Amino acid sequence: MTFSVQVKVMPLKDLLDPQGKAVMGGLNNLGLKGINDVRVGKHITLQVDAANEDEAKKIAEDATKKLLANPVMEYFEISVN
Amino acid sequence: MKFGVVVFPGSNCDRDMQEALQNDLNQEVVMLWHKDKDISSFTTNDCIVLPGGFSYGDYMRCGAIARFSPMMQSVIEFANKGGKVLGVCNGFQVLCEAQLLPGVLLRNANQQFICKNVYLKGVGSDKALKIPIAHGEGRYFADQKTLEELEKNNQVIYHYCDENGNITAEANPNGTTNNIAGIRNAAGNVFGMMPHPERASSDALGNIDGQIILKTLLMS
């Protein structure tokens, strides 16, 4: 079976995110009110062939730990559709 | 000894490095294509350099995809056997991703790509060395424990400093932790630095401070 696996990769919470800061500046320039912080990460979609959901998640986790995220600077969350 | 310079898709300082090693330092240089993996002609007395640039378009993270190229598997093996490896700029990022060096290079704190001459204090000279930087992701970061170990073992090979060699907050161009510009591994055979010594190694360019760095790290 093919599972659609969603991987969210975000900069670690206590790290400065200059990209988020730049986007925040843009939002301020737009005159939008009420947004007080922006952090920018990645959303990655994997199509994974596996016997079941758990196995699909495991395969995605392996891929994420090895390449999709760097634990020194990022954390990740995985969900299976 | 001879030098190998790895060429990734998106490397753009590979020829500068070849030029500096070959013409300024009179060394034998072999260019190594990322898809090849044969470096059997290299012994641990030789040296492999990962040049600057934007390997694989900096996709995913700087250096993240280059780390899995066939040639890098051979370079990792070479480094683990004790061969000398230098990564400059994107090469430094590749070495961190390959975990041959600890830590990571984050986007510059001021959100800008910085291209200018800076001064470095570190191995090879008592005076500050003038070397250019050209990067958008050069803010070195590692956890506290790693940072303490780096300092304790003298693994920080270059700090950003002012013209007179003072390591100050004002001399930090990109928000890097503790003004760190370059580090080496614990064994002392793998070096990574953001500044470009190969761009400052020729009389024709009006600056040969880079020669001091290349000679100190790789040829002594």
Side-chain angles (χ1 to χ4, degrees):
Chain A
M1 227 185 128
T2 302
F3 294 87
S4 177
V5 183
Q6 314 295 318
V7 184
K8 180 175 104 172
V9 181
M10 292 296 293
L12 289 178
K13 292 201 164 95
D14 45 359
L15 280 184
L16 171 72
D17 174 22
Q19 195 176 185
K21 248 174 89 178
V23 174
M24 185 72 222
L27 291 173
N28 282 338
N29 290 344
L30 273 176
L32 293 175
K33 302 261 181 277
I35 302 168
N36 58 45
D37 190 34
V38 180
R39 295 183 76 75
V40 179
K42 300 185 190 90
H43 183 109
I44 301 153
T45 306
L46 307 172
Q47 301 302 322
V48 182
D49 290 332
N52 54 51
E53 204 175 303
D54 277 354
E55 194 192 318
K57 199 171 173 179
K58 243 179 222 142
I59 292 170
E61 229 171 65
D62 194 34
T64 305
K65 282 181 181 158
K66 284 187 178 145
L67 176 59
L68 306 183
N70 182 339
V72 182
M73 60 194 267
E74 295 162 326
Y75 70 94
F76 64 86
E77 287 164 17
I78 293 175
S79 57
V80 184
N81 289 5
Chain B
M1 77 182 290
K2 68 170 177 292
F3 288 80
V5 176
V6 181
V7 184
F8 297 108
S11 294
N12 65 8
C13 300
D14 45 332
R15 301 291 151 177
D16 300 53
M17 185 58 81
Q18 178 187 27
E19 176 83 14
L21 294 169
Q22 216 164 265
N23 300 346
D24 301 325
L25 297 175
N26 297 314
Q27 299 299 309
E28 183 190 348
V29 179
V30 182
M31 303 306 275
L32 302 171
W33 184 236
H34 68 108
K35 279 190 176 167
D36 297 332
K37 57 189 307 182
D38 182 14
I39 52 167
S40 56
S41 71
F42 282 76
T43 73
T44 48
N45 294 323
D46 298 325
C47 173
I48 291 179
V49 182
L50 308 183
F54 301 84
S55 59
Y56 297 87
D58 277 351
Y59 292 169
M60 207 73 238
R61 291 177 308 280
C62 304
I65 301 178
R67 176 245 180 282
F68 291 102
S69 64
M71 181 52 74
M72 270 312 290
Q73 309 320 302
S74 303
V75 173
I76 291 168
E77 212 175 286
F78 176 77
N80 288 334
K81 278 193 295 197
K84 279 185 180 168
V85 177
L86 167 68
V88 170
C89 199
N90 187 227
F92 185 10
Q93 295 162 342
V94 175
L95 289 175
C96 287
E97 282 287 341
Q99 292 173 10
L100 287 173
L101 291 173
V104 72
L105 282 311
L106 299 172
R107 197 170 295 224
N108 296 341
N110 66 2
Q111 306 157 39
Q112 287 171 10
F113 187 98
I114 308 168
C115 188
K116 64 174 186 182
N117 279 314
V118 296
Y119 289 93
L120 302 177
K121 186 96 177 67
V123 296
S125 173
D126 293 332
K127 285 191 295 187
L129 298 167
K130 186 164 96 175
I131 303 288
I133 54 169
H135 59 246
E137 284 91 358
R139 180 165 53 110
Y140 184 78
F141 171 79
D143 61 43
Q144 202 51 41
K145 188 168 157 275
T146 305
L147 290 169
E148 280 164 19
E149 268 170 32
L150 286 175
E151 296 284 356
K152 195 180 76 189
N153 303 329
N154 291 320
Q155 284 175 251
V156 179
I157 52 172
Y158 290 107
H159 288 98
Y160 294 107
C161 65
D162 65 17
E163 207 171 339
N164 301 314
N166 303 308
I167 300 165
T168 63
E170 293 72 38
N172 184 336
N174 54 20
T176 184
T177 314
N178 301 347
N179 280 42
I180 290 173
I183 61 170
R184 64 168 172 80
N185 66 347
N189 66 311
V190 179
F191 311 92
M193 60 189 296
M194 289 313 296
H196 288 271
E198 80 281 9
R199 293 190 188 181
S201 291
S202 163
D203 282 320
L205 297 173
N207 181 1
I208 55 167
D209 281 2
Q211 284 195 16
I212 297 172
I213 293 176
L214 293 173
K215 282 181 186 163
T216 304
L217 295 181
L218 306 178
M219 295 163 69
S220 60

